[in-house]
Amino acid sequence: MRCILLGPPGAGKGTQAAIIRDKYTVAHISTGDILRANVKNNTALGMKAKSYMDAGELVPDSLIIEMMKERLSRDDCKRGFLLDGFPRTVSQAEALEILLKDLEVELDAVILLEVSDEVVVKRLSGRRMCKQCGAIYHIEFQPPSKNGICDKCGGELYQRDDDKEEVIRQRLAVYHEQTSPLVEYYSSKGLLRPVNAEQSSDSVLRLIEQLFGKD
Ligand code: AP5
């Protein structure tokens, strides 16, 4: 399985990718998670990326492409990968094509998780994440058993800095302007597989599995 999970912020890319990674042992590569880890560790990349992320803007393509070149060349990608949050611009998609050509592999599909802007705002304003293991929760839709504590590792849950309503609206605007052209880009290559992602997480997973003949 070599796939891209495409969709607006809050569509459920991270949620679905984590389930698929655990069930089918493929590498889950989330550019957002890699960037947040760099910010947390005060690396040079993290320091450059932070202001863009806090403002809901995209981190410059050159930084992202360099980061993904290194990540995709690691051994765990040989069994397959799920790209979550990359590519996000046509230039990133073109760079990905070159990276995959160099690695002599091809994409199987681009799964487009479709949700409306209003659902995005509701999902992201209620999202909580684990500081330790990165597990994703929602105060209403996927609450932890104990308030503020991760079910998986006991870590503390927090709200991402960019999950404030004004930043969410900006991220949505950036998605519509800079990322949505990828829908046409991948559709014209016959790779796009749209999925209605305004259903329960289990139903969305079933639809994705059907695409791969794994239901
Ligand atoms: P990133 O971390 O990639 O954020 P994003 O794309 O905005 O996506 P999210 O993580 O917000 O949402 P998601 O679709 O994964 O939803 P989730 O599963 O968590 O990027 C952050 C920033 O990094 C960017 O703004 C940018 O600055 C930078 N960046 C990253 N990649 C970049 C790139 N390639 N180029 C340039 N800059 C880049 O779900 C959301 C919530 O909904 C959760 O609470 C979850 O529990 C709930 N939920 C999920 N599914 C369902 C469901 N079916 N029903 C009900 N609730 C659900």
Side-chain angles (χ1 to χ4, degrees), residues 10 14-15 31 36 57 85 88 92 127 137 142 171 199:
T15 299
T31 41
R36 278 184 290 281
E57 299 290 343
R88 247 174 159 104
Q92 290 183 18
R127 172 165 61 184
Y137 296 89
Q142 273 161 328
R171 286 161 62 200
Q199 312 174 58

Side-chain angles (χ1 to χ4, degrees), residues 63-108:
L63 294 176
I64 298 289
I65 292 164
E66 203 46 45
M67 178 178 106
M68 288 304 284
K69 190 173 176 182
E70 186 281 320
R71 183 63 187 88
L72 280 167
S73 64
R74 290 198 210 161
D75 277 352
D76 65 336
C77 293
K78 290 192 176 132
R79 287 179 57 93
F81 52 74
L82 277 171
L83 301 182
D84 160 9
F86 176 86
R88 247 174 159 104
T89 61
V90 170
S91 316
Q92 290 183 18
E94 288 167 350
L96 176 65
E97 255 177 59
I98 297 170
L99 293 180
L100 295 183
K101 210 168 175 192
D102 288 349
L103 293 168
E104 298 180 357
V105 294
E106 282 184 10
L107 275 179
D108 296 316

Side-chain angles (χ1 to χ4, degrees), residues 4-174:
I4 294 173
L5 283 172
L6 183 65
K13 303 182 293 295
T15 299
Q16 294 300 327
I19 303 170
I20 297 167
R21 171 198 65 203
D22 294 344
K23 204 165 166 186
Y24 298 106
T25 329
V26 290
H28 167 205
I29 305 178
S30 157
T31 41
D33 287 349
I34 300 173
L35 290 168
R36 278 184 290 281
N38 275 275
V39 170
K40 194 173 161 195
N41 296 325
N42 276 319
T43 66
L45 170 62
M47 284 192 266
K48 284 182 199 150
K50 188 176 185 322
S51 58
Y52 296 100
M53 296 171 78
D54 287 348
E57 299 290 343
L58 294 185
V59 174
D61 285 343
S62 56
L63 294 176
I64 298 289
I65 292 164
E66 203 46 45
M67 178 178 106
M68 288 304 284
K69 190 173 176 182
E70 186 281 320
R71 183 63 187 88
L72 280 167
S73 64
R74 290 198 210 161
D75 277 352
D76 65 336
C77 293
K78 290 192 176 132
R79 287 179 57 93
F81 52 74
L82 277 171
L83 301 182
D84 160 9
F86 176 86
R88 247 174 159 104
T89 61
V90 170
S91 316
Q92 290 183 18
E94 288 167 350
L96 176 65
E97 255 177 59
I98 297 170
L99 293 180
L100 295 183
K101 210 168 175 192
D102 288 349
L103 293 168
E104 298 180 357
V105 294
E106 282 184 10
L107 275 179
D108 296 316
V110 176
I111 299 164
L112 173 65
L113 298 181
E114 296 182 302
V115 291
S116 67
D117 288 4
E118 286 326 301
V119 169
V120 164
V121 174
K122 207 164 177 204
R123 285 189 182 175
L124 291 185
S125 42
R127 172 165 61 184
R128 298 294 180 272
M129 289 181 74
C130 175
K131 271 189 182 165
Q132 236 162 259
C133 73
I136 303 167
Y137 296 89
H138 189 282
I139 50 175
E140 191 182 333
F141 309 132
Q142 273 161 328
S145 351
K146 266 197 214 159
N147 202 10
I149 306 287
C150 178
D151 290 344
K152 293 184 180 147
C153 73
E156 188 190 335
L157 303 187
Y158 77 106
Q159 184 172 29
R160 268 171 48 177
D161 286 343
D162 59 352
D163 279 349
K164 311 274 153 42
E165 184 160 348
E166 66 280 12
V167 186
I168 296 171
R169 298 264 176 212
Q170 175 58 20
R171 286 161 62 200
L172 270 168
V174 167

